[in-house]
């Protein structure tokens, strides 16, 4: 029962967000491993027909050696699968697939005058399999192969929606077999599909496909996402399908053509049907009242029209020369839907939408001023919405997803200094002309509550200045550029990636390079990329964590390292152990920094009384540290009674107060061989402060960017000193940028083996023997001079136990492989001591407690000191 209670207590230590993340990851893994709902789709496909698969690349359909299973329904055929003398209609579904098509085919066959074949193409309902291409062009050849296997030599094609593309492709390839073509709400030529340009459409469909892939693979849907009408197969079909050849195919069509369309179709405007009829004057055009589902809504009339058309084919007369009528300009509902679509797109990507609108102007779908007004309205609404989000929700808006991923609070503090000047409004407006800066700037303007009316007017003027030139660029040069890129449309995904990379280079490298501050930012980025010691923690310590796992498996115990220091703290001094427990064995030693541990189990009044007594005894400043944290997370400096009462009174976790010790800070990794009475120093690392000197002219931010050491971690120092960045530092005044001796707060780490003396090693071993079971530890100490350290005189301010390796990997002067080899040696020593103690029947540390305390320490959000206040 006691073990069960302990496990419950350990589980409560894990932060809720870790439980949520872990649960989500487990569900996603189970979902991808056991897609149970996909069986429903496969069960509906009984006795599929194997047909050759086709690929579609560079406007060419290429046969492959692969075969895929295709299911098809046959209506009006006899028991011998023969249609007799009845015309055979092949119905090609639209995308996404609609189950009402089944009944539509059944109604056609019910007349007794025709037989109907309803193939389920890859990505449609019960047909499945990993196919090379989902495009309608490739699907047309799949249909032809299916009909060939069934012995059907002559047939009439019904293509609904994008199925019309397959019908046109099939007619082009098998002219001797296709007797007529019927287009049902089909887009016809490229100009009437989405934004009217194949490459732009592929970019839109590429993002759409990425979304559906994410829904299918990154959500715990257990295959249910693929049962929806809009799924990954649908996204691949619309992405792979290309309408750029449709006009040529329609011009070359030498078969009777029936066009059926709804007069209020929102996705494919009725203009598409009218334009197709202009290309083929002999075509029969039927427009009915209804929208995209007019075929199903007016089914009785449509069925009769199709049967009459296929059983009484009209004479099409001699072929006419190819025509090139102008694209009709959008009117009515189509016009307003285009405007709405443009407005919505500006909420996602303003500048690309303006360029794409210019392309539609060049094609003739919409006029210049309508496109300009739609872009302007969308941009202005988006700008004001961001402003209102900041104004209404304040700083809470940037502490929640998705804004917290884009805007950092220290940036808001930094910009607040700019906005508070008379030129603050101009700073906001100027962001309109700098890509990737608008969202954070407008939200910050709302947080700072800049004047709504004045700002709105300025933003309106800025949008009016910025929007027309972009649309004009798309209108003037976009069409030529698209024709040039048309040859590379099969590589649309890479073009998308290239555009995103180019946009990133432009906004994060080229534009910043125009200013001095921007060039210093580039210096910081280059150093952060080329200098391994500056890499993020998760990258730098990944090999170390892998090494821990490897060594634990080698010693056949996942918690072997935690047994290196039996009964030291709760988990051997591993990350997440309470600081006061680790300091307790040494607190009677005069070299241990005075401290007091305060628990949340005590009443607030009692905590305040003890804290105030400690402050009277040791004076200010004091150091406030959470009991469970790593790398200085949650550390604060307390300088007076008011701060003491605030931090102690509002504390939500156990913490300790320490006397502030000035001087130089070092970390010393110490070890003792198991079963022996010795002690050795493995590494000494000095934590140097980063200091800038004021000159009476430069602000603190400018001094940070100017300093050759500080520039390497300038973003961190700007984050820590966000409230003081615009202050001019008096001449001769020093400012310490790192707010503690932790690397996480900006301290510079230097390997100092020259300070290792026999006196220091003896003094540290004597201190360590206060806890006889200690075999591995990292001591954080402060001294006044290096000579004191060599003589073995120091003040202990912190202790870490097992796996607390030295910060050698953060010393830029060391070769990376050398620092890693020393860290690896430290890990081996720790694991060997733990394995030795386990053989001596030391009780192993529980894995649940180890992970609970580790996650508690690493699941914090207060990673750094924001300010000394």
């Amino acid at each position: 029962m006691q073990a069960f209670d302990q496990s419950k207590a350990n589980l409560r230590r894990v932060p809720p967000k870790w439980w949520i993340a872990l649960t989500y990851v487990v569900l996603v893994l189970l979902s991808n491993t056991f897609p149970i709902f996909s069986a429903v789709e496969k069960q509906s496909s009984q006795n599929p027909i194997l047909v050759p698969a086709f690929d579609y690349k560079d406007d060419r359909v290429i046969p492959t050696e692969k075969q895929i299973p295709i299911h098809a329904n046959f209506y009006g055929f006899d028991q011998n699968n023969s249609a007799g003398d009845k015309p055979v209609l092949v119905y090609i579904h639209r995308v996404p697939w609609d189950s009402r098509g089944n009944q539509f085919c059944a109604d056609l066959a019910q007349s007794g005058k025709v037989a109907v074949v309803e193939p389920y193409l890859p990505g449609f309902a019960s047909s499945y399999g990993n196919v090379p291409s989902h495009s309608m062009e490739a699907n047309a050849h799949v249909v032809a192969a299916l009909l060939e296997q069934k012995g059907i030599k002559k047939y009439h094609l019904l293509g609904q929606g994008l199925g019309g593309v397959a019908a046109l492709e099939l007619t082009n390839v098998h002219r001797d077999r296709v007797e007529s073509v019927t287009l049902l709400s089909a887009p016809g030529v490229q100009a009437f599909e989405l934004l009217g340009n194949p490459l732009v459409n592929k970019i839109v469909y590429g993002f759409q496909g990425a979304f559906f892939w994410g829904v299918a693979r990154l959500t715990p849907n257990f295959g249910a996402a693929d049962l929806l009408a809009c799924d990954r197969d649908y996204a691949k079909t619309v992405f792979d399908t290309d309408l750029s050849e449709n006009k040529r195919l329609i011009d070359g069509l030498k078969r009777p053509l029936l066009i059926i369309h709804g007069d209020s179709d929102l996705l494919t405007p009725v203009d598409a049907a009218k334009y197709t009829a202009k290309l083929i004057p002999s075509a029969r055009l039927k427009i009915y009242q209804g929208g995209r589902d007019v075929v199903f809504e007016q089914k009785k009339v449509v069925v009769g029209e199709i049967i009459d058309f296929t059983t009484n084919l009209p004479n099409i007369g001699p072929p006419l020369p190819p025509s090139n009528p102008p694209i009709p300009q959008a009117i009515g509902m189509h016009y307003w839907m285009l405007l709405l679509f443009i407005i919505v797109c500006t909420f996602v990507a303003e500048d690309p939408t303006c360029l794409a609108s210019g392309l539609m102007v060049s094609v003739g779908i919409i006029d210049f001023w309508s496109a300009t007004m739609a872009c302007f309205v969308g941009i202005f609404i988006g700008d004001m919405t961001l402003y209102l989000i900041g104004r209404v929700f304040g700083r809470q808006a940037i502490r929640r997803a998705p804004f917290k991923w884009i805007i950092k609070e220290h940036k808001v503090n930094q910009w607040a200094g700019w906005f508070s000047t008379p030129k603050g409004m101009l700073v906001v407006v100027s962001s309109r002309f700098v890509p990737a800066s608008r969202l954070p700037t407008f939200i910050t303007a709302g947080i700072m509550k800049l004047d709504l009316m004045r700002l709105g007017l300025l933003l309106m003027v800025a949008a009016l200045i910025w929007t027309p030139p972009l649309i004009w660029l798309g209108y003037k040069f976009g069409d030529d550029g698209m024709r040039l890129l048309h040859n590379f449309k099969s590589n649309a995904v890479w073009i998308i990636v290239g555009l995103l990379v180019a946009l990133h280079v432009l906004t994060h490298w080229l534009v910043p390079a125009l200013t001095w501050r921007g060039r210093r930012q580039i210096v910081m980025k280059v150093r952060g990329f080329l200098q391994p010691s500056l890499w993020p923690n998760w990258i730098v310590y990944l090999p170390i964590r892998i090494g821990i796992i490897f060594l634990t498996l080698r010693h056949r115990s996942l918690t072997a390292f935690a047994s290196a220091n039996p009964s030291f703290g709760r988990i051997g001094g591993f990350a997440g152990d309470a600081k006061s427990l680790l300091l307790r064995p040494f607190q009677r030693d005069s070299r241990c920094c005075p401290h007091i541990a305060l628990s949340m189990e005590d009443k607030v009044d009692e905590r305040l009384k003890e804290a105030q007594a400690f402050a009277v005894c040791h004076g200010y400043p004091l150091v406030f540290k959470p009991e469970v944290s790593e790398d200085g997370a949650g550390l604060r400096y307390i300088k007076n009674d008011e701060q003491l009462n605030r931090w102690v009174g509002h504390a939500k976790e156990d913490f300790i107060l320490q006397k502030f010790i000035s001087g130089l800070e070092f970390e010393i990794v110490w070890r003792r061989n198991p079963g022996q009475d010795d002690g050795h120093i493995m590494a000494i690392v000095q934590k140097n402060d980063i200091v800038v000197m004021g000159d009476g002219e430069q602000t603190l931010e400018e001094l940070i960017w100017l300093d050759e050491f500080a520039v390497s971690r300038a973003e961190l120092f700007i984050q820590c000193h966000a409230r003081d960045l615009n202050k001019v530092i008096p001449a001769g005044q020093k400012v310490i940028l790192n707010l503690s001796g932790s690397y996480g707060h900006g301290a510079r780490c230097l390997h100092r083996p020259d300070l290792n003396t026999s006196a220091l090693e003896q003094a540290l071993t004597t201190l360590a023997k206060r806890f006889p079971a200690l075999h591995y530890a990292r001591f954080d100490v402060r001294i006044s001079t290096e000579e004191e350290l060599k003589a073995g005189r120091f003040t202990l301010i912190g202790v870490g136990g097992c796996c607390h390796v030295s910060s050698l990997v953060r010393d830029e002067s060391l070769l990376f492989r050398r620092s890693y080899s020393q860290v690896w040696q430290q890990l081996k020593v720790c694991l060997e001591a733990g394995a030795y103690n386990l053989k001596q029947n030391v009780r192993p540390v529980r894995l649940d407690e180890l992970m609970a305390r580790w996650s508690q320490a690493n699941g914090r959000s207060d990673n750094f000191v924001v300010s000394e206040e």
Side-chain angles (χ1 to χ4, degrees):
M1 192 66 180
Q2 184 177 0
F4 178 73
D5 292 339
Q6 185 178 354
S7 296
K8 286 177 61 179
N10 292 334
L11 295 178
R12 283 196 295 269
R13 290 191 185 95
V14 179
K17 66 179 183 181
W18 284 68
W19 282 118
I20 295 172
L22 178 62
T23 303
Y24 190 84
V25 169
V26 170
L27 288 175
V28 168
L29 291 175
L30 290 175
S31 173
N32 285 281
T33 307
F34 305 104
I36 55 179
F37 288 103
S38 63
V40 177
E41 186 176 30
K42 293 184 178 182
Q43 286 175 2
S44 65
S45 177
Q46 299 176 1
N47 303 318
I49 303 169
L50 290 177
V51 297
F54 295 85
D55 202 354
Y56 182 70
K57 292 181 179 178
D58 301 324
D59 298 334
R60 293 183 300 115
V61 178
I62 306 169
T64 67
E65 297 180 358
K66 186 176 182 180
Q67 287 193 319
I68 56 175
I70 297 297
H71 180 67
N73 291 332
F74 297 87
Y75 304 90
F77 287 78
D78 59 24
Q79 293 180 349
N80 297 322
N81 288 329
S82 174
D85 296 332
K86 293 181 292 188
V88 177
L89 275 61
V90 180
Y91 173 71
I92 304 177
H93 284 273
R94 72 184 186 188
V95 182
W97 175 81
D98 194 321
S99 60
R100 289 177 291 181
N102 303 91
Q103 187 59 48
F104 178 68
C105 293
D107 290 345
L108 283 168
Q110 193 174 9
S111 68
K113 297 181 179 181
V114 297
V116 183
V117 180
E118 181 191 19
Y120 290 82
L121 303 178
F124 285 8
S126 58
S127 289
Y128 53 92
N130 184 20
V131 295
S133 173
H134 282 67
S135 70
M136 281 299 182
E137 292 84 353
N139 285 342
H141 292 259
V142 171
V143 172
L146 173 68
L147 296 173
E148 180 71 25
Q149 286 198 23
K150 302 301 291 186
I152 301 172
K153 302 299 183 182
K154 296 286 186 178
Y155 40 83
H156 303 260
L157 294 177
L158 308 179
Q160 185 177 12
L162 279 185
V165 180
L168 292 173
E169 175 70 20
L170 207 158
T171 305
N172 181 58
V173 178
H174 297 283
R175 296 175 185 272
D176 56 331
R177 298 192 177 187
V178 177
E179 296 187 291
S180 73
V181 179
T182 300
L183 299 180
L184 307 170
S185 301
V189 300
Q190 178 73 71
F192 295 99
E193 188 211 7
L194 200 62
L195 294 176
N197 183 275
L199 184 61
V200 175
N201 288 352
K202 279 191 179 293
I203 292 174
V204 175
Y205 290 141
F207 284 109
Q208 178 180 266
F211 170 78
F212 285 120
W213 182 90
V215 170
R217 290 297 186 189
L218 303 180
T219 63
N221 61 84
F222 293 92
D226 290 332
L227 299 182
L228 301 174
C230 293
D231 59 3
R232 285 178 296 167
D233 289 327
Y234 151 73
K236 255 192 92 53
T237 300
V238 296
F239 180 84
D240 290 345
T241 300
D242 182 15
L243 274 68
S244 59
E245 294 296 315
N246 267 25
K247 187 175 184 299
R248 180 183 64 81
L249 296 180
I250 293 172
D251 274 331
L253 192 64
K254 297 180 177 62
R255 292 292 179 270
L257 174 64
L258 172 63
I259 305 170
I260 295 177
H261 217 96
D263 60 357
S264 57
D265 193 328
L266 298 181
L267 292 181
T268 304
V270 70
D271 290 340
K274 293 177 179 178
Y275 188 80
T276 302
K278 288 182 180 180
L279 293 174
I280 307 288
S282 62
R284 183 187 297 180
L285 174 62
K286 294 293 181 179
I287 298 176
Y288 298 102
Q289 288 185 350
R292 183 164 177 76
D293 294 331
V294 69
V295 173
F296 306 130
E297 295 168 354
Q298 305 278 355
K299 183 168 58 176
K300 186 176 181 179
V301 179
V302 171
V303 166
E305 184 68 43
I306 293 174
I307 292 175
D308 178 65
F309 175 75
T310 54
T311 55
N312 301 285
L313 291 178
N315 294 321
I316 61 173
L320 298 175
S323 58
N324 190 28
I327 300 293
Q329 196 170 98
I331 59 174
M333 183 60 69
H334 182 208
Y335 172 79
W336 294 109
M337 285 301 299
L338 272 180
L339 295 186
L340 179 61
F341 187 77
I342 291 172
I343 290 172
V344 172
C345 285
T346 59
F347 299 155
V348 180
E350 298 173 352
D351 296 346
T353 301
C354 292
L355 294 172
S357 299
L359 278 174
M360 287 194 287
V361 173
S362 67
V363 173
I365 299 176
I366 195 171
D367 66 279
F368 179 86
W369 293 111
S370 295
T372 301
M373 185 54 62
C375 289
F376 164 74
V377 170
I379 289 172
F380 182 71
I381 292 175
D383 292 350
M384 295 310 297
T385 299
L386 293 175
Y387 169 83
L388 291 175
I389 288 174
R391 188 179 182 95
V392 174
F393 297 101
R395 291 179 180 265
Q396 291 301 320
I398 59 176
R399 292 170 183 164
R400 299 182 181 276
F403 297 115
K404 70 176 183 180
W405 303 330
I406 305 172
I407 312 171
K408 302 302 180 184
E409 192 164 0
H410 76 278
K411 286 288 187 183
V412 174
N413 296 331
Q414 178 182 352
W415 293 331
W418 301 343
F419 294 166
S420 61
T421 65
K423 297 181 180 179
M425 287 286 186
L426 294 179
V427 172
V428 181
V429 174
S430 63
S431 67
R432 161 57 47 203
F433 309 99
V434 182
S437 68
R438 297 159 193 168
L439 187 149
T441 305
F442 295 155
I443 288 184
T444 304
I447 293 174
M448 300 307 299
K449 297 188 180 343
L450 299 186
D451 183 76
L452 175 61
M453 296 301 295
R454 185 182 173 197
L455 180 64
L457 181 62
L458 288 173
L459 289 179
M460 185 181 298
V461 173
L464 285 173
I465 294 174
W466 181 248
T467 305
L470 277 182
I471 296 178
W472 183 83
L473 284 174
Y475 163 71
K476 194 69 176 176
F477 304 106
D479 197 37
D480 293 336
M482 289 300 125
R483 276 199 292 267
L484 178 64
L485 291 173
H486 182 267
N487 298 326
F488 307 99
K489 63 186 176 187
S490 60
N491 298 314
V493 173
W494 297 111
I495 292 176
I496 293 170
V497 173
L499 289 174
L500 293 176
V501 171
L503 180 63
H504 177 80
V505 171
L506 174 67
T507 57
H508 290 75
W509 295 84
L510 297 182
V511 172
L514 300 177
T515 65
W516 168 82
R517 182 181 280 103
R519 290 191 290 274
R520 298 300 288 174
Q521 288 176 336
I522 292 175
V523 171
M524 177 191 67
K525 292 175 183 178
V526 171
R527 288 187 184 179
F529 179 76
L530 298 179
Q531 197 166 306
S533 62
L534 296 173
W535 290 350
N537 275 344
W538 69 271
I539 295 179
V540 170
Y541 288 102
L542 181 62
I544 296 173
R545 289 166 179 168
I546 294 175
I548 294 175
I549 296 173
F550 172 78
L551 291 173
T552 56
L553 293 176
R554 182 178 176 183
H555 291 286
R556 299 179 182 179
S557 174
L558 291 176
T559 62
F561 57 84
S563 299
N565 305 316
S567 301
F568 184 58
R570 292 193 179 276
I571 51 175
F574 186 60
D577 225 336
K579 291 181 173 62
S580 62
L581 288 180
L582 301 180
L583 285 170
R584 183 176 296 172
F586 314 106
Q587 62 185 358
R588 293 182 180 275
D589 194 297
S590 60
R591 291 169 291 190
C592 183
C593 175
H595 65 276
I596 181 174
L598 298 174
S599 172
M600 295 303 294
E601 295 179 358
D602 299 330
K603 294 181 179 180
V604 175
D605 294 341
E606 295 178 2
R607 295 201 305 269
L608 283 172
K609 187 182 297 184
E610 291 187 54
Q612 289 166 355
F614 185 82
V616 170
C617 180
H618 297 285
Y620 293 107
L622 299 176
V623 182
F624 176 98
K625 294 181 182 179
E627 279 276 27
V628 178
S629 67
E630 288 293 310
D631 205 18
L635 182 147
R636 293 292 186 273
Y637 295 103
I638 296 177
K639 296 182 177 180
N640 50 51
D641 290 338
E642 187 273 330
Q643 293 179 9
L644 180 69
N645 293 335
R646 184 172 74 246
W647 282 106
V648 174
H650 294 115
K652 297 181 180 179
E653 59 184 328
D654 296 346
F655 61 93
I656 66 173
L657 290 177
Q658 276 187 319
K659 179 181 179 181
F660 176 76
I661 306 296
S662 60
L664 305 175
E665 183 169 339
F666 293 83
E667 63 175 32
I668 306 174
V669 176
W670 175 90
R671 60 164 290 196
R672 179 168 69 90
N673 291 314
Q676 298 185 26
D677 187 20
D678 60 359
H680 305 281
I681 292 176
M682 300 189 70
I684 301 177
V685 175
Q686 183 174 357
K687 304 293 190 64
N688 277 356
D689 292 333
I690 304 296
V691 181
V692 294
M693 180 79 72
D695 60 2
E697 298 179 0
Q698 308 284 349
T699 64
L700 178 58
E701 182 185 5
E702 291 169 337
L703 292 175
I704 291 173
W705 288 116
L706 280 168
D707 189 84
E708 284 305 311
F709 287 113
V711 71
S712 299
R713 305 189 70 189
E715 286 288 353
L716 173 66
F717 297 136
I718 287 173
Q719 190 171 1
C720 293
H721 297 272
R723 294 183 177 90
D724 301 323
L725 292 177
N726 297 309
K727 291 183 179 178
V728 175
I729 308 302
Q733 179 178 325
K734 293 182 179 180
V735 178
I736 299 176
L737 298 180
N738 55 292
L739 300 178
S740 79
S742 165
Y743 174 81
H745 294 162
R748 188 182 178 203
C749 301
L750 294 175
H751 185 35
R752 296 298 304 273
D754 55 301
L755 299 179
N756 189 1
T757 63
S758 57
L760 174 60
E761 192 168 80
Q762 180 61 38
L764 207 60
T765 301
T766 303
L767 176 68
K769 285 183 178 179
R770 287 189 170 273
F771 192 84
L774 192 66
H775 292 89
Y776 180 91
R778 189 183 74 186
F779 296 100
D780 296 326
V781 302
R782 279 191 179 265
I783 56 169
S784 298
T785 64
E786 293 180 2
E787 296 304 319
E788 285 189 353
L789 186 65
K790 290 180 179 180
R793 296 190 295 272
F794 53 79
T795 301
L796 179 68
I797 61 172
V799 183
C802 54
C803 293
H804 275 77
V805 295
S806 65
S807 301
L808 290 172
V809 291
R810 295 301 189 180
D811 185 353
E812 67 271 15
S813 64
L814 288 180
L815 291 175
F816 216 42
R817 57 181 176 81
R818 180 185 173 191
S819 58
Y820 262 121
S821 65
Q822 293 198 37
V823 168
W824 181 256
Q825 187 62 34
Q826 295 168 20
L827 287 177
K828 287 182 64 178
V829 165
C830 180
L831 266 293
E832 288 169 359
Y836 173 85
N837 288 329
L838 288 176
K839 291 179 181 179
Q840 305 304 313
N841 296 322
V842 169
R843 186 177 180 180
V845 174
R846 293 167 56 94
L847 180 61
D848 60 338
E849 181 169 12
L850 191 77
M851 296 307 298
R853 293 184 178 276
W854 178 84
S855 65
Q856 186 180 358
N858 288 272
R860 304 181 65 91
S861 57
D862 51 349
N863 302 329
F864 51 85
V865 178
V866 177
S867 73
E868 292 191 354
E869 298 298 325

